């Protein structure tokens, strides 16, 4: 799942790292424009279409 940079608002940044544990997925991002790094975590059952597409 792509995200937007919280620093410079660059759109559609793909995750650099994805880790799954149980029913959660944690994505680590790094913005290609400003190099900002951030992590998001989501419960997989809240995004069933994304889980099936991956």
């Amino acid at each position: 799942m792509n995200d937007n940079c919280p620093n410079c608002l660059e759109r559609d940044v793909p995750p650099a790292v994805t880790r799954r544990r149980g029913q959660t997925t944690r994505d680590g991002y790094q913005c290609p424009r400003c190099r900002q790094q951030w992590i998001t975590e989501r419960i997989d059952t809240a995004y069933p279409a994304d889980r099936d597409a991956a």
Side-chain angles (χ1 to χ4, degrees), residues 27-41:
D27 291 317
Y29 298 87
Q30 183 171 21
C31 179
R33 184 192 303 174
C34 72
R35 312 306 285 172
Q36 173 73 31
Q37 296 178 347
W38 71 98
I39 295 172
T40 63
E41 186 172 283

Side-chain angles (χ1 to χ4, degrees), residues 5-20:
C5 177
N7 186 51
C8 73
L9 305 180
E10 176 76 10
R11 301 181 130 232
D12 207 29
V13 177
V17 177
T18 298
R19 293 193 177 126
R20 290 197 170 135

